[in-house]
């Protein structure tokens, strides 16, 4: 149980800055593009194309936002396959894209609503966006769990092949599949790298120990020299006293 928890933690966490970069590229930048070019919030701008959307405008905005969410998921899937991100990327991208899609779409019907209290409209928009964000996080967690379970199965398969390799149960190398060959090659490469790193570590520790011993020896020599000087000084003083 403890091993699974540790493995789960290590597999599901992406470096903060890497994760932030991908969320910026996959969620924030496309959202800003849609917001300025297609949403009713900035329809007064010359670059905004909201008025050129066919009717019903809400329907087309929904389709655009669905595409926005799907593209974010597909890009996250690709980066996960390439091992640039870990499984938590699905949670973040789905939560963010659904939240931001809600911000875009809800302005359309809120703008058409014959109600002049802007604060209430903003509050409603905020609450709905948070709800969509939470739904996205929940769905993202489900996707992350599926992806994590897939990784676990792959790890277990690799471990079985490595165990069989150690027990010499794989047979002749010529009969190995390409997948098995690649797994064993990666395993041997990792072992060599680990051995090299361990040797470097041992050499460094030896150098540090030697340097420490040298420093200790120097300190002892200095102390001995100081002791000898003090003894000579005391001897001289005793000699002077005896003469007087």
């Amino acid at each position: 149980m403890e091993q699974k928890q540790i493995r789960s933690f290590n597999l599901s966490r992406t470096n903060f800055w890497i994760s932030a970069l991908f969320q910026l590229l996959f969620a924030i930048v496309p959202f800003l593009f849609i917001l300025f070019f297609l949403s009713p919030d900035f329809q007064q701008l010359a670059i905004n194309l909201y008025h050129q959307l066919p009717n019903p405008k809400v329907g087309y905005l929904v389709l655009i936002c669905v595409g926005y969410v799907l593209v974010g998921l597909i890009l996250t899937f690709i980066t996960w396959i390439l091992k640039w991100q870990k499984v938590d990327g699905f949670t973040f991208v789905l939560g963010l894209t659904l939240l931001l899609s809600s911000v875009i779409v809800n302005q359309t019907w809120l703008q058409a609503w014959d109600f002049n209290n802007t604060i209430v409209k903003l509050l409603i928009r905020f609450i709905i966006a948070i709800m969509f964000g939470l739904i996205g996080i929940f769905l993202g967690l489900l996707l992350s769990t599926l992806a994590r379970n897939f990784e676990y199965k792959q790890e277990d398969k690799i471990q079985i092949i490595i165990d069989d390799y150690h027990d010499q149960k794989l047979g002749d190398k010529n009969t190995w599949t390409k997948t098995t060959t690649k797994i064993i090659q990666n395993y041997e490469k990792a072992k060599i790298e680990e051995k090299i790193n361990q040797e470097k570590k041992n050499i460094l520790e030896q150098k540090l120990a030697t340097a420490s011993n040298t420093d200790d020896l120097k300190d002892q020599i200095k102390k001995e020299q100081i002791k000898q000087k003090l003894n000579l000084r005391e001897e001289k003083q005793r000699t002077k006293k005896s003469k007087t």
Side-chain angles (χ1 to χ4, degrees):
M1 182 69 177
E2 183 180 356
Q3 183 181 0
K4 285 188 176 181
Q5 288 176 349
I6 294 172
R7 184 168 66 170
S8 172
F9 179 81
N10 290 335
L11 284 175
S12 61
R13 304 282 293 184
T14 307
N15 176 276
F16 172 78
W17 295 109
I18 294 175
S19 181
L21 175 63
F22 282 122
Q23 298 316 310
L24 178 67
L25 294 175
F26 299 165
I28 306 298
V29 171
F31 162 73
L32 293 175
F33 182 86
I34 297 171
L35 184 69
F36 283 104
F37 285 89
L38 295 171
S39 78
D41 290 273
F42 296 96
Q43 57 184 303
Q44 72 277 9
L45 297 179
I47 60 172
N48 190 277
L49 304 175
Y50 176 72
H51 289 297
Q52 298 182 27
L53 288 175
N55 290 319
K57 290 181 170 53
V58 178
Y60 279 94
L61 270 181
V62 168
L63 287 177
I64 290 169
C65 287
V66 168
Y68 157 60
V69 173
L70 290 177
V71 168
L73 280 174
I74 291 169
L75 292 174
T76 301
F77 177 76
I78 292 171
T79 55
W80 171 64
I81 290 293
L82 295 174
K83 300 187 184 301
W84 295 348
Q85 276 198 99
K86 296 186 180 179
V87 294
D88 60 343
F90 292 106
T91 303
F92 294 135
V93 78
L94 197 51
L96 265 177
T97 52
L98 280 181
L99 184 149
L100 297 175
S101 295
S102 171
V103 170
I104 293 170
V105 173
N106 286 322
Q107 177 59 14
T108 306
W109 67 267
L110 283 171
Q111 192 178 54
W113 184 21
D114 188 16
F115 187 72
N116 295 325
N117 195 321
T118 306
I119 295 176
V120 173
K121 285 185 176 182
L122 287 174
L123 184 61
I124 292 172
R125 194 178 185 185
F126 174 77
I127 292 172
I128 295 175
I130 293 298
M131 289 174 60
F132 270 83
L134 292 174
I135 292 171
I137 289 172
F138 174 74
L139 295 175
L141 285 171
L142 292 179
L143 282 177
S144 297
T145 301
L146 291 174
R148 192 180 298 116
N149 288 337
F150 174 80
E151 289 179 334
Y152 286 168
K153 289 179 181 179
Q154 294 301 111
E155 276 193 345
D156 292 339
K157 287 179 181 179
I158 291 171
Q159 190 58 50
I160 289 171
I161 291 173
I162 291 172
D163 290 341
D164 288 343
Y165 173 68
H166 279 297
D167 296 336
Q168 297 181 349
K169 294 180 180 179
L170 293 179
D172 189 358
K173 290 184 179 181
N174 296 324
T175 62
W176 293 356
T177 62
K178 290 183 179 180
T179 302
T180 301
T181 303
K182 186 176 180 180
I183 290 171
I184 299 303
Q185 286 176 347
N186 291 338
Y187 171 69
E188 291 293 342
K189 183 180 178 181
K191 278 182 62 179
I192 293 171
E193 289 178 353
E194 183 181 358
K195 184 178 179 181
I196 292 172
N197 290 333
Q198 186 62 42
E199 289 176 352
K200 288 180 179 179
K201 183 180 177 182
N202 292 337
I203 292 171
L204 180 60
E205 288 176 351
Q206 288 176 359
K207 287 182 177 180
L208 291 174
T210 303
S212 177
N213 293 334
T214 303
D215 291 338
D216 291 341
L217 182 60
K218 288 180 179 179
D219 290 339
Q220 289 179 2
I221 293 172
K222 285 181 180 179
K223 288 179 181 178
E224 190 64 31
Q225 288 174 346
I226 292 171
K227 187 177 179 181
Q228 289 177 0
K229 287 180 180 179
L230 290 173
N231 290 336
L232 286 172
R233 188 178 298 172
E234 290 177 358
E235 185 67 28
K236 287 180 180 179
Q237 288 177 353
R238 282 197 295 268
T239 303
K240 286 181 180 179
K241 287 181 181 180
S242 62
K243 287 181 179 181
T244 57

